[in-house]
Short mmCIF file of all heavy atoms in Angstrom, two decimals:
data_model
loop_
_atom_site.label_atom_id
_atom_site.label_comp_id
_atom_site.label_asym_id
_atom_site.label_seq_id
_atom_site.Cartn_x
_atom_site.Cartn_y
_atom_site.Cartn_z
N ASN R 90 -2.25 3.64 9.84
CA ASN R 90 -3.42 2.90 10.24
C ASN R 90 -3.98 2.03 9.03
O ASN R 90 -4.31 2.59 8.03
CB ASN R 90 -4.51 3.81 10.72
CG ASN R 90 -3.97 4.59 11.97
OD1 ASN R 90 -3.34 4.18 12.77
ND2 ASN R 90 -4.39 5.94 11.85
N ILE R 91 -3.93 0.72 9.22
CA ILE R 91 -4.43 -0.26 8.18
C ILE R 91 -5.98 -0.16 8.31
O ILE R 91 -6.47 -0.30 9.47
CB ILE R 91 -3.93 -1.61 8.50
CG1 ILE R 91 -2.41 -1.74 8.31
CG2 ILE R 91 -4.57 -2.64 7.42
CD1 ILE R 91 -1.81 -1.42 6.97
N GLU R 92 -6.69 0.05 7.14
CA GLU R 92 -8.08 0.08 7.11
C GLU R 92 -8.70 -1.12 6.60
O GLU R 92 -7.92 -2.07 6.13
CB GLU R 92 -8.49 1.38 6.37
CG GLU R 92 -7.98 2.67 7.10
CD GLU R 92 -8.16 3.93 6.25
OE1 GLU R 92 -8.52 3.81 5.09
OE2 GLU R 92 -7.97 5.05 6.98
N HIS R 93 -10.04 -1.22 6.41
CA HIS R 93 -10.70 -2.32 5.82
C HIS R 93 -10.22 -2.85 4.52
O HIS R 93 -10.04 -1.96 3.63
CB HIS R 93 -12.22 -2.07 5.87
CG HIS R 93 -13.08 -3.19 5.46
ND1 HIS R 93 -13.23 -4.35 6.32
CD2 HIS R 93 -13.76 -3.50 4.36
CE1 HIS R 93 -13.93 -5.24 5.69
NE2 HIS R 93 -14.32 -4.78 4.51
N GLN R 94 -10.03 -4.13 4.33
CA GLN R 94 -9.50 -4.70 3.08
C GLN R 94 -10.33 -4.20 1.82
O GLN R 94 -11.51 -4.03 1.85
CB GLN R 94 -9.62 -6.19 3.13
CG GLN R 94 -9.02 -6.92 2.04
CD GLN R 94 -9.11 -8.43 2.11
OE1 GLN R 94 -8.88 -8.97 3.19
NE2 GLN R 94 -9.52 -9.10 1.02
N LEU R 95 -9.47 -3.88 0.80
CA LEU R 95 -10.05 -3.38 -0.41
C LEU R 95 -10.58 -4.44 -1.36
O LEU R 95 -11.42 -4.25 -2.13
CB LEU R 95 -9.02 -2.57 -1.26
CG LEU R 95 -8.48 -1.35 -0.55
CD1 LEU R 95 -7.25 -0.73 -1.23
CD2 LEU R 95 -9.62 -0.29 -0.54
N GLY R 96 -9.92 -5.71 -1.15
CA GLY R 96 -10.40 -6.77 -1.97
C GLY R 96 -9.30 -7.82 -2.13
O GLY R 96 -8.22 -7.68 -1.43
N LYS R 97 -9.57 -8.86 -2.92
CA LYS R 97 -8.69 -9.91 -3.15
C LYS R 97 -8.66 -10.19 -4.62
O LYS R 97 -9.71 -10.26 -5.38
CB LYS R 97 -9.19 -11.21 -2.35
CG LYS R 97 -8.28 -12.50 -2.60
CD LYS R 97 -8.60 -13.60 -1.70
CE LYS R 97 -10.04 -13.86 -1.42
NZ LYS R 97 -10.29 -15.04 -0.70
N TRP R 98 -7.42 -10.40 -5.16
CA TRP R 98 -7.27 -10.62 -6.65
C TRP R 98 -6.46 -11.81 -6.91
O TRP R 98 -5.38 -11.98 -6.20
CB TRP R 98 -6.59 -9.36 -7.29
CG TRP R 98 -7.49 -8.16 -7.29
CD1 TRP R 98 -8.27 -7.78 -8.42
CD2 TRP R 98 -7.74 -7.20 -6.25
NE1 TRP R 98 -8.89 -6.64 -8.12
CE2 TRP R 98 -8.64 -6.27 -6.78
CE3 TRP R 98 -7.32 -7.05 -4.96
CZ2 TRP R 98 -9.19 -5.18 -5.98
CZ3 TRP R 98 -7.71 -5.96 -4.22
CH2 TRP R 98 -8.60 -5.08 -4.79
N ASP R 99 -6.70 -12.55 -7.84
CA ASP R 99 -5.81 -13.61 -8.33
C ASP R 99 -5.04 -13.06 -9.54
O ASP R 99 -5.74 -12.47 -10.43
CB ASP R 99 -6.55 -14.84 -8.76
CG ASP R 99 -7.18 -15.68 -7.61
OD1 ASP R 99 -6.55 -15.57 -6.53
OD2 ASP R 99 -8.29 -16.19 -7.69
N PHE R 100 -3.78 -13.26 -9.61
CA PHE R 100 -2.97 -12.60 -10.61
C PHE R 100 -1.74 -13.58 -10.93
O PHE R 100 -1.34 -14.27 -10.15
CB PHE R 100 -2.50 -11.19 -10.35
CG PHE R 100 -1.44 -11.04 -9.18
CD1 PHE R 100 -0.15 -11.13 -9.39
CD2 PHE R 100 -1.99 -11.05 -7.88
CE1 PHE R 100 0.75 -11.01 -8.34
CE2 PHE R 100 -1.08 -10.94 -6.83
CZ PHE R 100 0.28 -11.06 -7.05
N LEU R 101 -1.32 -13.40 -12.22
CA LEU R 101 -0.13 -14.11 -12.70
C LEU R 101 1.18 -13.44 -12.42
O LEU R 101 1.23 -12.21 -12.76
CB LEU R 101 -0.31 -14.47 -14.19
CG LEU R 101 0.78 -15.38 -14.82
CD1 LEU R 101 0.74 -16.80 -14.20
CD2 LEU R 101 0.53 -15.34 -16.38
N SER R 102 2.07 -14.05 -11.68
CA SER R 102 3.40 -13.43 -11.45
C SER R 102 4.12 -13.32 -12.77
O SER R 102 4.34 -14.41 -13.43
CB SER R 102 4.12 -14.21 -10.41
OG SER R 102 5.44 -13.74 -10.38
N LYS R 103 4.49 -12.13 -13.19
CA LYS R 103 5.37 -12.03 -14.55
C LYS R 103 6.61 -12.70 -14.33
O LYS R 103 7.07 -13.29 -15.28
CB LYS R 103 5.41 -10.56 -14.75
CG LYS R 103 4.17 -9.84 -15.15
CD LYS R 103 4.36 -8.40 -15.54
CE LYS R 103 3.13 -7.79 -16.04
NZ LYS R 103 2.39 -7.05 -15.08
N SER R 104 7.20 -12.70 -13.24
CA SER R 104 8.60 -13.20 -13.11
C SER R 104 8.58 -14.71 -12.77
O SER R 104 9.56 -15.41 -13.24
CB SER R 104 9.42 -12.51 -11.94
OG SER R 104 8.77 -12.75 -10.68
N ARG R 105 7.57 -15.30 -12.18
CA ARG R 105 7.57 -16.65 -11.82
C ARG R 105 6.64 -17.56 -12.69
O ARG R 105 6.66 -18.75 -12.58
CB ARG R 105 7.18 -16.86 -10.41
CG ARG R 105 8.26 -16.16 -9.45
CD ARG R 105 8.20 -16.69 -8.06
NE ARG R 105 9.16 -15.99 -7.24
CZ ARG R 105 10.41 -16.43 -6.91
NH1 ARG R 105 10.86 -17.52 -7.52
NH2 ARG R 105 11.17 -15.76 -6.15
N GLY R 106 5.70 -16.84 -13.43
CA GLY R 106 4.72 -17.67 -14.19
C GLY R 106 3.83 -18.49 -13.44
O GLY R 106 3.23 -19.46 -13.90
N THR R 107 3.55 -18.18 -12.15
CA THR R 107 2.57 -18.87 -11.24
C THR R 107 1.55 -17.87 -10.79
O THR R 107 1.81 -16.60 -10.75
CB THR R 107 3.26 -19.43 -10.09
OG1 THR R 107 3.88 -18.50 -9.37
CG2 THR R 107 4.32 -20.56 -10.52
N TYR R 108 0.37 -18.32 -10.36
CA TYR R 108 -0.63 -17.55 -9.99
C TYR R 108 -0.53 -17.29 -8.42
O TYR R 108 -0.06 -18.04 -7.64
CB TYR R 108 -2.07 -18.16 -10.13
CG TYR R 108 -2.54 -17.96 -11.50
CD1 TYR R 108 -2.34 -18.90 -12.49
CD2 TYR R 108 -3.13 -16.74 -11.92
CE1 TYR R 108 -2.73 -18.67 -13.80
CE2 TYR R 108 -3.57 -16.56 -13.22
CZ TYR R 108 -3.29 -17.61 -14.11
OH TYR R 108 -3.71 -17.28 -15.49
N TYR R 109 -0.79 -15.98 -7.99
CA TYR R 109 -0.73 -15.54 -6.71
C TYR R 109 -2.13 -15.09 -6.28
O TYR R 109 -3.03 -14.76 -7.08
CB TYR R 109 0.09 -14.42 -6.50
CG TYR R 109 1.70 -14.77 -6.58
CD1 TYR R 109 2.14 -15.75 -7.40
CD2 TYR R 109 2.63 -14.02 -5.74
CE1 TYR R 109 3.54 -16.09 -7.39
CE2 TYR R 109 3.94 -14.28 -5.89
CZ TYR R 109 4.37 -15.36 -6.69
OH TYR R 109 5.76 -15.61 -6.63
N GLU R 110 -2.31 -15.01 -4.95
CA GLU R 110 -3.57 -14.35 -4.40
C GLU R 110 -3.16 -13.15 -3.74
O GLU R 110 -2.33 -13.26 -2.82
CB GLU R 110 -4.21 -15.33 -3.44
CG GLU R 110 -5.50 -14.79 -2.83
CD GLU R 110 -6.06 -15.77 -1.85
OE1 GLU R 110 -6.87 -16.57 -2.38
OE2 GLU R 110 -5.71 -15.71 -0.71
N GLY R 111 -3.58 -11.95 -4.21
CA GLY R 111 -3.22 -10.67 -3.61
C GLY R 111 -4.28 -10.04 -2.89
O GLY R 111 -5.40 -9.87 -3.36
N LEU R 112 -4.04 -9.65 -1.61
CA LEU R 112 -5.02 -8.95 -0.77
C LEU R 112 -4.53 -7.54 -0.61
O LEU R 112 -3.27 -7.34 -0.25
CB LEU R 112 -5.13 -9.61 0.58
CG LEU R 112 -5.74 -11.05 0.59
CD1 LEU R 112 -4.60 -12.04 0.43
CD2 LEU R 112 -6.55 -11.31 1.85
N MET R 113 -5.31 -6.46 -0.84
CA MET R 113 -4.86 -5.07 -0.66
C MET R 113 -5.60 -4.35 0.36
O MET R 113 -6.82 -4.51 0.51
CB MET R 113 -5.05 -4.38 -1.99
CG MET R 113 -4.06 -4.85 -3.16
SD MET R 113 -2.34 -4.44 -2.73
CE MET R 113 -2.26 -2.75 -3.10
#
Side-chain angles (χ1 to χ4, degrees):
N90 301 318
I91 300 293
E92 298 173 349
H93 185 70
Q94 183 176 317
L95 295 167
K97 179 170 41 172
W98 289 264
D99 290 328
F100 65 94
L101 182 63
S102 167
K103 291 181 173 101
S104 63
R105 299 198 181 268
T107 59
Y108 280 94
Y109 284 36
E110 180 180 272
L112 297 91
M113 291 293 286

